[in-house]
Amino acid sequence: MSRTTVSNAYNRPDQLSPQLRNRVMEAARTLGYPGPDPVARSLRTRRAGAVGLLLTDQLSYAFRDPAALAFLEGLTLECDIAKTGLLLVPAKPESEDILAVSSASVDGFVAYAMPDDDPHLMAALARPVPAVVCDQPDVEGVDSVGIDDHAAMRQIGEHLLDLGHRRIGVVCMRLGRAVMDGPVDITRQEGARYHVQRNRLAGLREAFTRAGVAWDRIPVVERFDNSVAAGASGAAEVLSLDPGITALVATSDVLAFGAMQELERRLQRVPQDVSVTGFDGVAEARNRELTTVVQPFLEKGHQAGKLLLDPARRPQARKVILDTEFLPGRTTAAPPV
Amino acid sequence: MSRTTVSNAYNRPDQLSPQLRNRVMEAARTLGYPGPDPVARSLRTRRAGAVGLLLTDQLSYAFRDPAALAFLEGLTLECDIAKTGLLLVPAKPESEDILAVSSASVDGFVAYAMPDDDPHLMAALARPVPAVVCDQPDVEGVDSVGIDDHAAMRQIGEHLLDLGHRRIGVVCMRLGRAVMDGPVDITRQEGARYHVQRNRLAGLREAFTRAGVAWDRIPVVERFDNSVAAGASGAAEVLSLDPGITALVATSDVLAFGAMQELERRLQRVPQDVSVTGFDGVAEARNRELTTVVQPFLEKGHQAGKLLLDPARRPQARKVILDTEFLPGRTTAAPPV
DNA sequence: TTGTAAGCGTTATCAT
DNA sequence: ATGATAACGCTTACAA
């Protein structure tokens, strides 16, 4: 029996007589042939049947961050439709080991919120497969999905300014690949390796600078982790830098929850004593009526998947900017008199 | 320049002179050679560098279930260590299409809480790669990880019996691959395709039967989704079948939250009017002090990963049964007099 | 240190 | 309807 016939028996049952097909399958059982080898098939067909996903952090991190989860959910829905697997590629930011990226058998990559200079990102973009970046700076020839972080954060700044706040503090997420928890000077703010954080800080800065508030007086504190605990300790540090602030701006909802926890511990009322804002619009933020910006994470994942899996790929890179919505909540009010 | 030299330049930089290596890399750049093809490499080395994961539901479901998430987190931690990617394989229960399973380029499979007769599971086990099943019945020659669902649920039953409950109702998760929301007779309970649900119901039944309570009088209601909404509607249905129950047993914490929501809507107090129990011990259950059984999801994922990735594989299948802890909370009390 | 040659297991093309 | 042949791109003994 020839190879071709066996291949057809598995892949094109209609191309050969049912009895021959049965004979093939029976022989396979007898001989212990487990069916076509996926890797060899991929080599021949030039299709891996999987999409690679690069995340900011080690794999397990993604399962703790509600925002990353929603993105993943949107992306997997597209993968389901395209009958494509999703390969979570280990890409710890502190590791320089890009072997996992360069040897991942995938038909394309999605990079989500990676730092601009991450070697894993570089390695993925260097691969001769399509890629989509999400929440990252545009790269020549690479499709991208994102929001206008700058404008969204400026809205939050303007909201606080309208309420009358002038002395504020900021807790932001990591700005580089190394742990650098502490106060952030303007140089580091501008040179942040994370597109999203850089733009949010810049947007806030623009709002305050326009209103005539000196930005270099505003304490900005960095935390590596996006966790409630990090938000709490970040808020504590901001308050130690300027105990007189009337509002705390966090660059994520999760950090804002931590800030609120710390304020509560200090018996400071929100918003009567200190206003707090977040960013993202995760479920808990809506429940607790945090003043925040809602961004469509699920839709981001959808769009990223669609761009990557769209068979009719355009000759030039496409760029999707999704809408955000400023959502005033009960955690902001006029500063105390 | 020979193929070998190029291969060595990429894979064994120490095996050739630095200047030659540089010459190779430069030539690669000039010629636009993107580096070794991962698929061809996998074919040759017989290593895919990825582990396949089969989940009960479509991929996106996993990102909604806190239990599945914790399992994933534990598993990915092991994958990180082994520098192996994790391939989420689309395996919708209602689909018979196993192509994604049989053509996934993986070095092994982890199957998590799949129904016993799922064709995707069969296809994965038929592949000539190692596999680990989790929360599933033992399969000849396949490593397994799980808990003693039967004993754990019996504990819950005994707890309720000790408090004096005799008329109870049950809300369980799906027992088969098709949506069959509604009351469940004993035949369907015993024939449930989901190992976990089957054993939990059997454990509860044993406790009540031993105490002399006729099990066939106890309303058991099935819901396909493991969601708060499903728990609420399931509880409502149980209450319509027997308005006189003094306790509601849910086979998951999430369903229990739904049951509590429905009881609150009916102005029934928990636990004064009706007791409620869950299963899993997710974070929210601990916060709300739900009476439940805590099971180590993270550890389950760890163990599954370890078994699969352990290079020193035993000749015979290994079986890991993890401990659970009965956690009495504030949602159970003696029935009203 | 570098090169030669033999597969890895498929599927596409073409011929019968 | 079925079969022969030629890649797919790589790694790895082994030889030079």
Side-chain angles (χ1 to χ4, degrees), chain A residues 10 24-36, chain B residues 126-129:
Chain A
Y10 278 95
V24 172
M25 291 311 192
E26 194 148 339
R29 214 166 300 135
T30 311
L31 297 164
Y33 173 73
Chain B
R127 289 274 304 270
V129 293

Side-chain angles (χ1 to χ4, degrees), chain B residues 15-142:
Chain B
Q15 297 287 314
L16 70 175
S17 66
Q19 70 252 31
L20 179 59
R21 191 184 126 88
N22 282 340
R23 212 148 58 81
V24 172
M25 293 310 194
E26 194 147 340
R29 214 166 301 134
T30 312
L31 297 164
Y33 174 71
D37 178 297
V39 176
R41 168 183 283 162
S42 285
L43 177 60
R44 183 61 233 234
T45 60
R46 312 266 45 186
R47 181 177 186 280
V51 164
L53 177 64
L54 261 49
L55 292 166
T56 325
D57 225 312
Q58 55 186 335
L59 295 182
S60 57
Y61 163 84
F63 302 121
R64 292 229 178 95
D65 180 11
L69 278 176
F71 176 81
L72 264 167
E73 187 178 337
L75 180 57
T76 53
L77 281 165
E78 290 301 319
C79 289
D80 277 347
I81 292 169
K83 299 199 174 169
T84 292
L86 183 66
L87 181 68
L88 305 181
V89 181
K92 293 195 197 183
E94 64 270 27
S95 154
E96 298 283 333
D97 185 5
I98 58 160
L99 188 68
V101 177
S102 50
S103 67
S105 298
V106 294
D107 301 316
F109 280 101
V110 172
Y112 177 74
M114 301 285 286
D116 309 350
D117 56 347
D118 189 293
H120 303 92
L121 174 62
M122 305 302 184
L125 296 177
R127 289 274 304 270
V129 293
V132 174
V133 297
C134 194
D135 288 350
Q136 288 172 205
D138 289 344
V139 177
E140 174 76 24
V142 177

Side-chain angles (χ1 to χ4, degrees), chain B residues 104-251:
Chain B
S105 298
V106 294
D107 301 316
F109 280 101
V110 172
Y112 177 74
M114 301 285 286
D116 309 350
D117 56 347
D118 189 293
H120 303 92
L121 174 62
M122 305 302 184
L125 296 177
R127 289 274 304 270
V129 293
V132 174
V133 297
C134 194
D135 288 350
Q136 288 172 205
D138 289 344
V139 177
E140 174 76 24
V142 177
D143 292 345
S144 75
V145 181
I147 59 169
D148 189 341
D149 289 288
H150 189 283
M153 196 53 133
R154 204 177 58 205
Q155 274 186 290
I156 287 189
E158 285 161 359
H159 168 73
L160 291 172
L161 286 161
D162 287 349
L163 288 171
H165 294 274
R166 292 298 180 275
R167 277 177 83 176
I168 68 161
V170 183
V171 182
C172 68
M173 273 179 63
R174 67 179 75 165
L175 303 180
R177 289 168 53 214
V179 179
M180 289 271 282
D181 289 2
V184 189
D185 63 23
I186 291 186
T187 309
R188 183 167 172 85
Q189 289 175 33
E190 290 172 341
R193 298 302 189 187
Y194 284 89
H195 176 86
V196 165
Q197 296 297 313
R198 190 173 56 240
N199 281 293
R200 290 187 192 166
L201 288 174
L204 193 65
R205 178 180 176 180
E206 183 176 323
F208 276 81
T209 308
R210 277 194 186 179
V213 177
W215 180 255
D216 56 6
R217 297 265 190 77
I218 292 180
V220 177
V221 165
E222 174 177 348
R223 283 294 179 270
F224 192 76
D225 285 328
N226 182 36
S227 65
V228 173
S233 85
E237 187 168 350
V238 168
L239 288 167
S240 76
L241 292 167
D242 182 356
I245 60 167
T246 61
L248 253 170
V249 174
T251 60

